[in-house]
């Protein structure tokens, strides 16, 4: 096993993170990323579980028995052309680590190495997930299907947050991120000459009615205490200036924090769209694509994670819920846990083509994850 000291470990993790950044891979295509992680874990004699995963992997540190705590990281990149000026910018055209998953997986690797150093004294097992396909919202269910969470007592996950200063870890009990749902609507009417609209049935008019009506979904269907968002992000119809087309297509997203509100919005959305279609005599096809639910932090573990942030030298901060999506929520449907936001203090938001990470936060995050896992194990050992 490597005897790398913490100063050298910091440099090692930064170099590894920047290597991952240079060679990003999209969801379910992270073959090289998985191989790089496997190589490093094996180098440090960290055992890797034999699980039926296409990409990604699960490592474990500690004795073969005792309580089990899970740490989760993600490894996939986004279909974005990088515009940052870093020396290690992406060498894959049109693919970029614009959400910091290279940071998350490197921090988890560092935590695994730190835990390995104290393996002989660990009061239980720590399982580290290097999860694929978070950006599609389907990576977590794939891991769950392998049984990787079986017998686990709690799970913790992290995400970098450029809006928080370095040295801050934020979280909260209850909803932290939003449920993410996508919809698309196809309107089929009857085309005509633009000068003779009475001879057709204009789908653009119907699309406009739907767009206007959906803006009442939140104000008239969601309680004022429940934050929710409906955004129509694509509208396509027609091909020239003097022809009324025969179809129109819309796409967008709904974000919500309450399961009751989520279900209500879908129901009312369907009713509004179908009602408008019937009123105008067109055929409307409405598709609802359910994504990850809201990340809902267990109150005990959220407070525990913030306490450990303070103990690890971070400023612990209770933050507001964010409308971003996270498939970590699927894990919380299986067992209690908490998700934390790691402050990186950079100027560009997540998914921005100029996004970058503050590497000075990397080693402290690894320390925090290792300390959190050990403290969680000790808390289980002290239970009656």
């Amino acid at each position: 096993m490597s005897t790398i000291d913490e100063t050298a470990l910091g440099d090692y993790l930064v170099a590894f993170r920047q290597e991952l950044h240079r060679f990003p891979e999209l969801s379910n295509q992270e073959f090289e990323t998985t191989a790089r992680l496997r190589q490093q874990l094996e180098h440090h004699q960290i055992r890797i579980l034999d699980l039926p995963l296409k990409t990604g992997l699960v490592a474990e540190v500690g004795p073969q028995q005792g309580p089990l705590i899970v740490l989760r990281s993600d490894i996939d990149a986004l279909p974005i052309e990088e515009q940052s000026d870093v020396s290690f910018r992406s060498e894959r055209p049109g693919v970029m680590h614009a959400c910091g998953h290279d940071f998350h997986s490197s921090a988890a690797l560092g935590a695994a190495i730190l835990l390995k150093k104290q393996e002989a004294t660990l009061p239980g097992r720590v399982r580290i997930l290097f999860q694929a396909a978070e950006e599609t919202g389907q990576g977590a269910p794939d891991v769950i299907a392998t049984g990787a969470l079986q017998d686990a007592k709690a799970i913790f996950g992290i995400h970098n947050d450029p809006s928080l200063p370095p040295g801050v870890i934020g979280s909260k009990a209850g909803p932290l991120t939003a449920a993410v749902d996508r919809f698309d609507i196809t309107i089929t009417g009857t085309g005509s000459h633009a000068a003779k609209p009475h001879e057709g049935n204009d789908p653009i008019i119907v699309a406009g009615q739907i767009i206007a009506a959906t803006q009442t979904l939140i104000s008239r269907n969601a309680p004022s205490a429940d934050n929710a968002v409906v955004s129509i992000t694509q509208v396509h119809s027609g091909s020239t200036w003097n022809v009324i087309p025969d179809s129109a297509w819309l796409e967008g997203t709904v974000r919500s924090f309450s399961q009751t509100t989520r279900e209500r919005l879908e129901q009312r959305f369907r009713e509004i769209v179908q009602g408008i279609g019937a009123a105008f005599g067109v055929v409307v096809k409405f598709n609802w694509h359910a994504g990850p639910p809201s990340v809902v932090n267990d109150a005990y573990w959220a407070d525990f994670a913030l306490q450990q942030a303070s103990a690890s030298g971070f400023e612990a901060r209770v933050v507001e819920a964010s409308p971003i999506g996270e498939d970590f929520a699927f894990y919380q449907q299986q067992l209690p846990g908490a998700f934390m936001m790691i402050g990186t203090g950079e100027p560009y938001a997540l998914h921005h083509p100029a996004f970058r990470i503050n590497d000075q936060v990397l080693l402290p995050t690894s320390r925090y994850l290792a300390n959190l896992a050990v403290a969680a194990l000790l808390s289980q050992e002290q239970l009656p």
Side-chain angles (χ1 to χ4, degrees):
M1 181 179 65
S2 171
T3 56
I4 186 172
D5 62 38
E6 284 209 16
T7 301
L9 178 60
D11 294 338
Y12 164 86
L13 292 175
V14 169
F16 182 72
R17 202 283 294 183
Q18 294 180 0
E19 179 183 352
L20 292 183
H21 191 89
R22 287 173 54 212
F23 302 105
E25 296 174 294
L26 297 175
S27 301
N28 291 316
Q29 300 176 28
E30 312 96 327
F31 297 103
E32 291 182 17
T33 302
T34 300
R36 286 185 169 92
L37 286 164
R38 181 179 294 276
Q39 180 184 44
Q40 296 305 316
L41 291 165
E42 290 176 344
H43 174 73
H44 292 280
Q45 299 179 27
I46 297 168
R47 65 180 177 271
I48 300 170
L49 303 188
D50 184 14
L51 298 175
L53 291 170
K54 177 183 176 182
T55 52
L57 46 80
V58 177
E60 188 175 274
V61 180
Q64 297 290 341
Q65 56 187 6
L68 172 63
I69 298 296
V70 181
L71 302 177
R72 179 271 202 163
S73 67
D74 42 19
I75 68 175
D76 53 329
L78 285 158
I80 294 174
E81 183 69 33
E82 183 162 9
Q83 295 178 11
S84 72
D85 57 0
V86 296
S87 60
F88 49 90
R89 61 183 296 164
S90 171
E91 297 184 18
R92 302 261 165 81
V95 184
M96 177 195 174
H97 271 297
C99 201
H101 295 188
D102 50 345
F103 173 87
H104 304 159
S105 50
S106 298
L109 173 63
I113 293 170
L114 291 170
L115 289 166
K116 183 67 178 179
K117 288 175 174 289
Q118 52 186 308
E119 185 170 38
T121 60
L122 287 179
R125 295 168 289 161
V126 181
R127 194 164 287 171
I128 304 104
L129 311 182
F130 297 90
Q131 179 209 302
E134 187 280 329
E135 296 293 351
T136 67
Q138 292 303 310
D142 288 344
V143 173
I144 292 167
T146 68
L149 302 186
Q150 186 174 353
D151 300 326
K153 301 299 184 181
I155 185 167
F156 300 99
I158 60 166
H159 204 293
N160 74 92
D161 187 342
S163 71
L164 289 176
V168 170
I169 290 181
S171 192
K172 67 182 288 289
L176 181 67
T177 73
V180 178
D181 299 311
R182 178 172 65 88
F183 60 85
D184 64 79
I185 305 166
T186 302
I187 304 163
T188 304
T190 304
S192 68
H193 195 290
K196 300 179 179 181
H198 61 286
E199 294 181 355
N201 197 349
D202 190 347
I204 294 178
I205 295 295
V206 181
Q209 294 291 322
I210 290 173
I211 291 169
T214 55
Q215 300 313 301
T216 69
L217 274 170
I218 304 303
S219 65
R220 295 299 178 267
N221 294 280
S224 58
D226 287 357
N227 293 327
V229 172
V230 175
S231 293
I232 293 177
T233 55
Q234 290 197 72
V235 181
H236 298 277
S237 188
S239 59
T240 189
W241 67 279
N242 61 350
V243 175
I244 292 175
D246 60 5
S247 66
W249 183 80
L250 302 84
E251 185 180 45
T253 185
V254 177
R255 307 292 171 106
S256 57
F257 294 91
S258 158
Q259 183 61 25
T260 300
T261 296
R262 185 186 194 188
E263 293 171 0
R264 174 65 172 163
L265 291 176
E266 179 187 358
Q267 174 194 347
R268 289 296 294 136
F269 208 148
R270 290 184 183 278
E271 292 170 351
I272 288 170
V273 168
Q274 296 301 332
I276 291 174
F280 282 85
V282 298
V283 176
V284 178
K285 182 179 180 182
F286 180 87
N287 294 312
W288 180 271
H289 309 276
S294 172
V295 164
V296 180
N297 282 340
D298 178 85
Y300 171 81
W301 287 118
D303 183 64
F304 186 91
L306 287 174
Q307 289 179 18
Q308 293 306 314
S310 296
S312 296
F314 285 87
E315 175 191 337
R317 186 178 297 183
V318 176
V319 296
E320 294 183 356
S322 168
I324 66 170
E326 240 301 336
D327 77 351
F328 183 84
F330 287 117
Y331 297 123
Q332 291 176 311
Q333 292 180 333
Q334 307 296 314
L335 75 163
F339 196 70
M340 289 75 67
M341 311 305 291
I342 309 296
T344 54
E346 292 292 344
Y348 298 103
L350 303 174
H351 294 206
H352 191 284
F355 173 84
R356 59 178 184 254
I357 280 285
N358 183 341
D359 278 326
Q360 297 304 307
V361 184
L362 185 50
L363 179 58
T365 301
S366 293
R367 288 198 202 102
Y368 167 65
L369 287 173
N371 293 343
L372 176 61
V374 171
L377 287 174
L378 289 171
S379 75
Q380 297 301 301
E381 188 179 56
Q382 293 163 5
L383 291 175

mmCIF file with all atom_site columns, all heavy atoms in Angstrom, residues 91-106:
data_model
loop_
_atom_site.group_PDB
_atom_site.id
_atom_site.type_symbol
_atom_site.label_atom_id
_atom_site.label_alt_id
_atom_site.label_comp_id
_atom_site.label_asym_id
_atom_site.label_entity_id
_atom_site.label_seq_id
_atom_site.pdbx_PDB_ins_code
_atom_site.Cartn_x
_atom_site.Cartn_y
_atom_site.Cartn_z
_atom_site.occupancy
_atom_site.B_iso_or_equiv
_atom_site.pdbx_formal_charge
_atom_site.auth_seq_id
_atom_site.auth_comp_id
_atom_site.auth_asym_id
_atom_site.auth_atom_id
_atom_site.pdbx_PDB_model_num
ATOM 1   N N   . GLU A 1 91  ? -9.702  17.577 -24.116 1.00 0.00 ? 91  GLU A N   1
ATOM 2   C CA  . GLU A 1 91  ? -9.159  17.184 -25.424 1.00 0.00 ? 91  GLU A CA  1
ATOM 3   C C   . GLU A 1 91  ? -10.199 16.433 -26.256 1.00 0.00 ? 91  GLU A C   1
ATOM 4   O O   . GLU A 1 91  ? -9.875  15.911 -27.325 1.00 0.00 ? 91  GLU A O   1
ATOM 5   C CB  . GLU A 1 91  ? -7.906  16.329 -25.233 1.00 0.00 ? 91  GLU A CB  1
ATOM 6   C CG  . GLU A 1 91  ? -6.775  17.089 -24.540 1.00 0.00 ? 91  GLU A CG  1
ATOM 7   C CD  . GLU A 1 91  ? -5.491  16.284 -24.432 1.00 0.00 ? 91  GLU A CD  1
ATOM 8   O OE1 . GLU A 1 91  ? -5.354  15.277 -25.176 1.00 0.00 ? 91  GLU A OE1 1
ATOM 9   O OE2 . GLU A 1 91  ? -4.623  16.648 -23.597 1.00 0.00 ? 91  GLU A OE2 1
ATOM 10  N N   . ARG A 1 92  ? -11.426 16.379 -25.763 1.00 0.00 ? 92  ARG A N   1
ATOM 11  C CA  . ARG A 1 92  ? -12.525 15.716 -26.480 1.00 0.00 ? 92  ARG A CA  1
ATOM 12  C C   . ARG A 1 92  ? -13.469 16.798 -26.997 1.00 0.00 ? 92  ARG A C   1
ATOM 13  O O   . ARG A 1 92  ? -14.190 17.436 -26.211 1.00 0.00 ? 92  ARG A O   1
ATOM 14  C CB  . ARG A 1 92  ? -13.273 14.760 -25.538 1.00 0.00 ? 92  ARG A CB  1
ATOM 15  C CG  . ARG A 1 92  ? -12.359 13.674 -24.931 1.00 0.00 ? 92  ARG A CG  1
ATOM 16  C CD  . ARG A 1 92  ? -12.488 12.369 -25.692 1.00 0.00 ? 92  ARG A CD  1
ATOM 17  N NE  . ARG A 1 92  ? -11.411 11.444 -25.389 1.00 0.00 ? 92  ARG A NE  1
ATOM 18  C CZ  . ARG A 1 92  ? -11.360 10.649 -24.314 1.00 0.00 ? 92  ARG A CZ  1
ATOM 19  N NH1 . ARG A 1 92  ? -12.322 10.691 -23.425 1.00 0.00 ? 92  ARG A NH1 1
ATOM 20  N NH2 . ARG A 1 92  ? -10.351 9.810  -24.149 1.00 0.00 ? 92  ARG A NH2 1
ATOM 21  N N   . PRO A 1 93  ? -13.504 17.022 -28.299 1.00 0.00 ? 93  PRO A N   1
ATOM 22  C CA  . PRO A 1 93  ? -14.388 18.063 -28.844 1.00 0.00 ? 93  PRO A CA  1
ATOM 23  C C   . PRO A 1 93  ? -15.840 17.839 -28.440 1.00 0.00 ? 93  PRO A C   1
ATOM 24  O O   . PRO A 1 93  ? -16.369 16.736 -28.542 1.00 0.00 ? 93  PRO A O   1
ATOM 25  C CB  . PRO A 1 93  ? -14.207 17.919 -30.358 1.00 0.00 ? 93  PRO A CB  1
ATOM 26  C CG  . PRO A 1 93  ? -12.855 17.293 -30.525 1.00 0.00 ? 93  PRO A CG  1
ATOM 27  C CD  . PRO A 1 93  ? -12.707 16.365 -29.360 1.00 0.00 ? 93  PRO A CD  1
ATOM 28  N N   . GLY A 1 94  ? -16.461 18.910 -27.949 1.00 0.00 ? 94  GLY A N   1
ATOM 29  C CA  . GLY A 1 94  ? -17.873 18.845 -27.625 1.00 0.00 ? 94  GLY A CA  1
ATOM 30  C C   . GLY A 1 94  ? -18.203 18.130 -26.335 1.00 0.00 ? 94  GLY A C   1
ATOM 31  O O   . GLY A 1 94  ? -19.385 17.907 -26.033 1.00 0.00 ? 94  GLY A O   1
ATOM 32  N N   . VAL A 1 95  ? -17.194 17.759 -25.540 1.00 0.00 ? 95  VAL A N   1
ATOM 33  C CA  . VAL A 1 95  ? -17.428 17.079 -24.261 1.00 0.00 ? 95  VAL A CA  1
ATOM 34  C C   . VAL A 1 95  ? -16.591 17.781 -23.194 1.00 0.00 ? 95  VAL A C   1
ATOM 35  O O   . VAL A 1 95  ? -15.416 18.083 -23.417 1.00 0.00 ? 95  VAL A O   1
ATOM 36  C CB  . VAL A 1 95  ? -17.062 15.585 -24.327 1.00 0.00 ? 95  VAL A CB  1
ATOM 37  C CG1 . VAL A 1 95  ? -17.412 14.893 -23.012 1.00 0.00 ? 95  VAL A CG1 1
ATOM 38  C CG2 . VAL A 1 95  ? -17.765 14.900 -25.487 1.00 0.00 ? 95  VAL A CG2 1
ATOM 39  N N   . MET A 1 96  ? -17.205 18.011 -22.041 1.00 0.00 ? 96  MET A N   1
ATOM 40  C CA  . MET A 1 96  ? -16.512 18.783 -21.001 1.00 0.00 ? 96  MET A CA  1
ATOM 41  C C   . MET A 1 96  ? -17.022 18.405 -19.616 1.00 0.00 ? 96  MET A C   1
ATOM 42  O O   . MET A 1 96  ? -18.208 18.137 -19.432 1.00 0.00 ? 96  MET A O   1
ATOM 43  C CB  . MET A 1 96  ? -16.753 20.277 -21.241 1.00 0.00 ? 96  MET A CB  1
ATOM 44  C CG  . MET A 1 96  ? -16.144 21.193 -20.197 1.00 0.00 ? 96  MET A CG  1
ATOM 45  S SD  . MET A 1 96  ? -16.805 22.872 -20.282 1.00 0.00 ? 96  MET A SD  1
ATOM 46  C CE  . MET A 1 96  ? -16.010 23.584 -18.832 1.00 0.00 ? 96  MET A CE  1
ATOM 47  N N   . HIS A 1 97  ? -16.120 18.425 -18.644 1.00 0.00 ? 97  HIS A N   1
ATOM 48  C CA  . HIS A 1 97  ? -16.523 18.309 -17.241 1.00 0.00 ? 97  HIS A CA  1
ATOM 49  C C   . HIS A 1 97  ? -16.984 19.695 -16.779 1.00 0.00 ? 97  HIS A C   1
ATOM 50  O O   . HIS A 1 97  ? -16.266 20.405 -16.070 1.00 0.00 ? 97  HIS A O   1
ATOM 51  C CB  . HIS A 1 97  ? -15.377 17.795 -16.371 1.00 0.00 ? 97  HIS A CB  1
ATOM 52  C CG  . HIS A 1 97  ? -15.327 16.308 -16.274 1.00 0.00 ? 97  HIS A CG  1
ATOM 53  N ND1 . HIS A 1 97  ? -16.339 15.566 -15.709 1.00 0.00 ? 97  HIS A ND1 1
ATOM 54  C CD2 . HIS A 1 97  ? -14.387 15.419 -16.690 1.00 0.00 ? 97  HIS A CD2 1
ATOM 55  C CE1 . HIS A 1 97  ? -16.030 14.279 -15.769 1.00 0.00 ? 97  HIS A CE1 1
ATOM 56  N NE2 . HIS A 1 97  ? -14.863 14.161 -16.360 1.00 0.00 ? 97  HIS A NE2 1
ATOM 57  N N   . ALA A 1 98  ? -18.206 20.052 -17.170 1.00 0.00 ? 98  ALA A N   1
ATOM 58  C CA  . ALA A 1 98  ? -18.750 21.373 -16.846 1.00 0.00 ? 98  ALA A CA  1
ATOM 59  C C   . ALA A 1 98  ? -19.604 21.358 -15.595 1.00 0.00 ? 98  ALA A C   1
ATOM 60  O O   . ALA A 1 98  ? -20.244 22.355 -15.275 1.00 0.00 ? 98  ALA A O   1
ATOM 61  C CB  . ALA A 1 98  ? -19.579 21.889 -18.030 1.00 0.00 ? 98  ALA A CB  1
ATOM 62  N N   . CYS A 1 99  ? -19.624 20.230 -14.892 1.00 0.00 ? 99  CYS A N   1
ATOM 63  C CA  . CYS A 1 99  ? -20.401 20.136 -13.653 1.00 0.00 ? 99  CYS A CA  1
ATOM 64  C C   . CYS A 1 99  ? -19.530 19.697 -12.483 1.00 0.00 ? 99  CYS A C   1
ATOM 65  O O   . CYS A 1 99  ? -20.021 19.535 -11.371 1.00 0.00 ? 99  CYS A O   1
ATOM 66  C CB  . CYS A 1 99  ? -21.569 19.166 -13.846 1.00 0.00 ? 99  CYS A CB  1
ATOM 67  S SG  . CYS A 1 99  ? -22.924 19.392 -12.664 1.00 0.00 ? 99  CYS A SG  1
ATOM 68  N N   . GLY A 1 100 ? -18.243 19.472 -12.742 1.00 0.00 ? 100 GLY A N   1
ATOM 69  C CA  . GLY A 1 100 ? -17.323 19.163 -11.660 1.00 0.00 ? 100 GLY A CA  1
ATOM 70  C C   . GLY A 1 100 ? -17.315 17.731 -11.191 1.00 0.00 ? 100 GLY A C   1
ATOM 71  O O   . GLY A 1 100 ? -16.837 17.435 -10.094 1.00 0.00 ? 100 GLY A O   1
ATOM 72  N N   . HIS A 1 101 ? -17.803 16.798 -12.018 1.00 0.00 ? 101 HIS A N   1
ATOM 73  C CA  . HIS A 1 101 ? -17.778 15.405 -11.599 1.00 0.00 ? 101 HIS A CA  1
ATOM 74  C C   . HIS A 1 101 ? -16.357 14.864 -11.512 1.00 0.00 ? 101 HIS A C   1
ATOM 75  O O   . HIS A 1 101 ? -16.105 13.893 -10.795 1.00 0.00 ? 101 HIS A O   1
ATOM 76  C CB  . HIS A 1 101 ? -18.623 14.547 -12.543 1.00 0.00 ? 101 HIS A CB  1
ATOM 77  C CG  . HIS A 1 101 ? -20.080 14.883 -12.503 1.00 0.00 ? 101 HIS A CG  1
ATOM 78  N ND1 . HIS A 1 101 ? -21.037 14.133 -13.149 1.00 0.00 ? 101 HIS A ND1 1
ATOM 79  C CD2 . HIS A 1 101 ? -20.758 15.882 -11.885 1.00 0.00 ? 101 HIS A CD2 1
ATOM 80  C CE1 . HIS A 1 101 ? -22.227 14.661 -12.940 1.00 0.00 ? 101 HIS A CE1 1
ATOM 81  N NE2 . HIS A 1 101 ? -22.083 15.730 -12.182 1.00 0.00 ? 101 HIS A NE2 1
ATOM 82  N N   . ASP A 1 102 ? -15.424 15.478 -12.241 1.00 0.00 ? 102 ASP A N   1
ATOM 83  C CA  . ASP A 1 102 ? -14.014 15.118 -12.086 1.00 0.00 ? 102 ASP A CA  1
ATOM 84  C C   . ASP A 1 102 ? -13.529 15.463 -10.679 1.00 0.00 ? 102 ASP A C   1
ATOM 85  O O   . ASP A 1 102 ? -12.753 14.725 -10.076 1.00 0.00 ? 102 ASP A O   1
ATOM 86  C CB  . ASP A 1 102 ? -13.150 15.811 -13.149 1.00 0.00 ? 102 ASP A CB  1
ATOM 87  C CG  . ASP A 1 102 ? -13.403 17.318 -13.249 1.00 0.00 ? 102 ASP A CG  1
ATOM 88  O OD1 . ASP A 1 102 ? -14.431 17.813 -12.725 1.00 0.00 ? 102 ASP A OD1 1
ATOM 89  O OD2 . ASP A 1 102 ? -12.575 18.018 -13.865 1.00 0.00 ? 102 ASP A OD2 1
ATOM 90  N N   . PHE A 1 103 ? -14.033 16.574 -10.140 1.00 0.00 ? 103 PHE A N   1
ATOM 91  C CA  . PHE A 1 103 ? -13.722 16.968 -8.761  1.00 0.00 ? 103 PHE A CA  1
ATOM 92  C C   . PHE A 1 103 ? -14.331 15.983 -7.768  1.00 0.00 ? 103 PHE A C   1
ATOM 93  O O   . PHE A 1 103 ? -13.663 15.540 -6.822  1.00 0.00 ? 103 PHE A O   1
ATOM 94  C CB  . PHE A 1 103 ? -14.254 18.383 -8.514  1.00 0.00 ? 103 PHE A CB  1
ATOM 95  C CG  . PHE A 1 103 ? -14.159 18.855 -7.086  1.00 0.00 ? 103 PHE A CG  1
ATOM 96  C CD1 . PHE A 1 103 ? -13.012 19.468 -6.619  1.00 0.00 ? 103 PHE A CD1 1
ATOM 97  C CD2 . PHE A 1 103 ? -15.230 18.694 -6.219  1.00 0.00 ? 103 PHE A CD2 1
ATOM 98  C CE1 . PHE A 1 103 ? -12.926 19.909 -5.303  1.00 0.00 ? 103 PHE A CE1 1
ATOM 99  C CE2 . PHE A 1 103 ? -15.163 19.133 -4.906  1.00 0.00 ? 103 PHE A CE2 1
ATOM 100 C CZ  . PHE A 1 103 ? -14.004 19.743 -4.443  1.00 0.00 ? 103 PHE A CZ  1
ATOM 101 N N   . HIS A 1 104 ? -15.586 15.622 -7.978  1.00 0.00 ? 104 HIS A N   1
ATOM 102 C CA  . HIS A 1 104 ? -16.272 14.721 -7.046  1.00 0.00 ? 104 HIS A CA  1
ATOM 103 C C   . HIS A 1 104 ? -15.574 13.365 -6.966  1.00 0.00 ? 104 HIS A C   1
ATOM 104 O O   . HIS A 1 104 ? -15.339 12.838 -5.873  1.00 0.00 ? 104 HIS A O   1
ATOM 105 C CB  . HIS A 1 104 ? -17.725 14.505 -7.479  1.00 0.00 ? 104 HIS A CB  1
ATOM 106 C CG  . HIS A 1 104 ? -18.510 15.764 -7.637  1.00 0.00 ? 104 HIS A CG  1
ATOM 107 N ND1 . HIS A 1 104 ? -19.662 15.849 -8.388  1.00 0.00 ? 104 HIS A ND1 1
ATOM 108 C CD2 . HIS A 1 104 ? -18.300 17.012 -7.142  1.00 0.00 ? 104 HIS A CD2 1
ATOM 109 C CE1 . HIS A 1 104 ? -20.132 17.077 -8.341  1.00 0.00 ? 104 HIS A CE1 1
ATOM 110 N NE2 . HIS A 1 104 ? -19.321 17.806 -7.602  1.00 0.00 ? 104 HIS A NE2 1
ATOM 111 N N   . SER A 1 105 ? -15.257 12.802 -8.130  1.00 0.00 ? 105 SER A N   1
ATOM 112 C CA  . SER A 1 105 ? -14.646 11.467 -8.134  1.00 0.00 ? 105 SER A CA  1
ATOM 113 C C   . SER A 1 105 ? -13.225 11.505 -7.583  1.00 0.00 ? 105 SER A C   1
ATOM 114 O O   . SER A 1 105 ? -12.792 10.568 -6.893  1.00 0.00 ? 105 SER A O   1
ATOM 115 C CB  . SER A 1 105 ? -14.671 10.871 -9.544  1.00 0.00 ? 105 SER A CB  1
ATOM 116 O OG  . SER A 1 105 ? -14.155 11.763 -10.506 1.00 0.00 ? 105 SER A OG  1
ATOM 117 N N   . SER A 1 106 ? -12.493 12.581 -7.838  1.00 0.00 ? 106 SER A N   1
ATOM 118 C CA  . SER A 1 106 ? -11.142 12.707 -7.284  1.00 0.00 ? 106 SER A CA  1
ATOM 119 C C   . SER A 1 106 ? -11.180 12.882 -5.766  1.00 0.00 ? 106 SER A C   1
ATOM 120 O O   . SER A 1 106 ? -10.353 12.322 -5.039  1.00 0.00 ? 106 SER A O   1
ATOM 121 C CB  . SER A 1 106 ? -10.411 13.885 -7.928  1.00 0.00 ? 106 SER A CB  1
ATOM 122 O OG  . SER A 1 106 ? -10.272 13.685 -9.327  1.00 0.00 ? 106 SER A OG  1
#
